[in-house]
């Protein structure tokens, strides 16, 4: 009788653990949105004046966070696309090539991004001591249409909105 009770208790505990794990997995995947985080200092031109030292798009996904070793710098391009949490902030640190000064800007993205980031991209441009952040929509510009006024090369092909430092032309956040 004691063995049957112990077996039943163990099975019940195992079932509870599996249900808890399934609940955590379901909750986590519900927060994942298929979108992109990218930047291209070559195409946007900021590789001439700045060296990227560190960036972090939110704090939940390691694939969109990098920090250069002391005294070094990161590359000028990165593109991560797929299911990932929508970041609540973007933190970027760079070194000015001309002076060696280090600049850091942290942008609170809450209320600046579309309510649904699916198939959108978040990108940034460094211009001197100012960071510019853009949402690139999946909406392609018609052939022959005037390029988006955004500072990023992505405005040549897609509708792009500046979300920092201003919300220029953006129809609304969350």
């Amino acid at each position: 009788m004691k063995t049957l009770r112990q077996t039943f208790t163990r099975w019940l505990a195992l079932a509870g653990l599996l249900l808890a794990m399934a609940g955590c997995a379901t909750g986590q995947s519900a927060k994942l949105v298929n979108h992109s985080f990218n930047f291209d200092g070559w195409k946007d031109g900021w590789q001439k004046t700045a060296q990227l030292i560190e960036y972090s798009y939110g704090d939940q996904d390691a694939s969109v966070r990098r920090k250069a070793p002391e005294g070094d710098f990161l590359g000028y391009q990165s593109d991560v696309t797929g299911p990932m949490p929508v970041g609540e902030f973007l933190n970027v640190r760079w070194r000015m090539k001309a002076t060696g000064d280090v600049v850091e800007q942290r942008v609170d993205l809450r209320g600046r991004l579309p309510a649904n980031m699916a198939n959108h991209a978040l990108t940034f441009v460094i211009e001197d001591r100012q960071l510019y952040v853009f949402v690139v929509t999946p909406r392609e510009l018609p052939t022959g249409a005037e390029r988006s006024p955004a500072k990023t090369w992505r405005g040549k092909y897609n509708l792009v909105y500046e979300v920092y430092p201003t919300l220029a032309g953006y129809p609304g956040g969350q």
Side-chain angles (χ1 to χ4, degrees):
M1 187 70 135
K2 200 173 196 180
T3 307
L4 184 58
R5 180 178 285 169
Q6 287 175 337
T7 303
F8 178 73
T9 303
R10 285 183 184 161
W11 277 107
L12 190 59
L14 180 61
L17 179 62
L18 290 173
L19 283 172
M21 288 172 53
C24 288
T26 302
Q28 182 75 315
S29 64
K31 296 178 184 176
L32 302 181
V33 177
N34 189 44
H35 69 293
S36 300
F37 170 74
N38 56 53
F39 56 87
D40 193 325
W42 294 106
K43 289 183 179 178
D44 287 331
W46 54 263
Q47 93 291 348
K48 298 172 195 164
T49 59
Q51 295 176 324
L52 186 62
I53 299 171
E54 181 178 2
Y55 64 85
S56 180
Y57 171 50
D59 59 3
Q60 297 181 30
D61 192 328
S63 67
V64 290
R65 292 191 322 252
R66 287 195 58 211
K67 182 177 182 179
E70 187 66 37
D72 205 353
F73 66 97
L74 303 171
Y76 297 108
Q77 296 174 307
S78 182
D79 188 350
V80 177
T81 300
M84 64 181 135
V86 174
E88 291 188 349
F89 67 88
L90 174 64
N91 192 75
V92 180
R93 214 163 59 110
W94 65 94
R95 182 180 304 111
M96 303 296 302
K97 286 184 176 181
T99 63
D101 291 348
V102 174
V103 180
E104 182 170 8
Q105 289 190 10
R106 182 181 175 102
V107 179
D108 185 351
L109 296 172
R110 293 173 294 186
R112 294 184 174 270
L113 302 180
N116 183 359
M117 275 292 285
N119 303 315
H120 287 61
L122 187 77
T123 189
F124 65 85
V125 171
I126 296 168
E127 190 174 277
D128 195 33
R129 297 180 165 276
Q130 182 61 56
L131 182 69
Y132 293 87
V133 182
F134 303 93
V135 169
V136 182
T137 71
R139 185 172 155 206
E140 294 181 9
L141 294 177
T143 306
E146 188 174 320
R147 175 190 163 129
S148 290
K151 296 175 181 290
T152 175
W153 71 275
R154 301 285 303 270
K156 184 175 181 179
Y157 305 104
N158 293 76
L159 183 60
V160 174
Y161 294 107
E162 181 179 312
V163 296
Y164 183 84
T166 64
L167 290 171
Y170 188 57
Q174 294 178 338

